[in-house]
Amino acid sequence: MVSGTNRCVIDYQPAGEVSRQAFFTTEHFYPLLYVLGASRPDDRLTIFTDSCTLGAISMTSYLFEA
């Protein structure tokens, strides 16, 4: 997402086991697709929460700004 190439995000399954662990049900994935669809190519992307709890729970948050 940071590089602006969303194809790898949309087609995440080739990432293998890590993709299945990250999105084991689609309700955790569809909101990300919604945001990518609403963003514009010239938006500035900021990662404002990038931490992991207990080594497994990540609530990484992205901010798209015009």
Side-chain angles (χ1 to χ4, degrees), residues 16-64:
E17 182 60 28
V18 71
S19 71
R20 286 185 288 284
Q21 291 174 356
F23 301 116
F24 54 93
T25 57
T26 56
E27 73 265 12
H28 296 274
F29 180 63
Y30 289 155
L32 178 58
L33 294 180
Y34 184 85
V35 170
L36 290 178
S39 65
R40 297 178 302 206
D42 60 334
D43 282 348
R44 185 176 67 246
L45 175 64
T46 304
I47 300 172
F48 67 91
T49 302
D50 188 18
S51 62
C52 216
T53 303
L54 301 174
I57 302 170
S58 173
M59 297 298 286
T60 303
S61 300
Y62 301 91
L63 177 63
F64 291 86

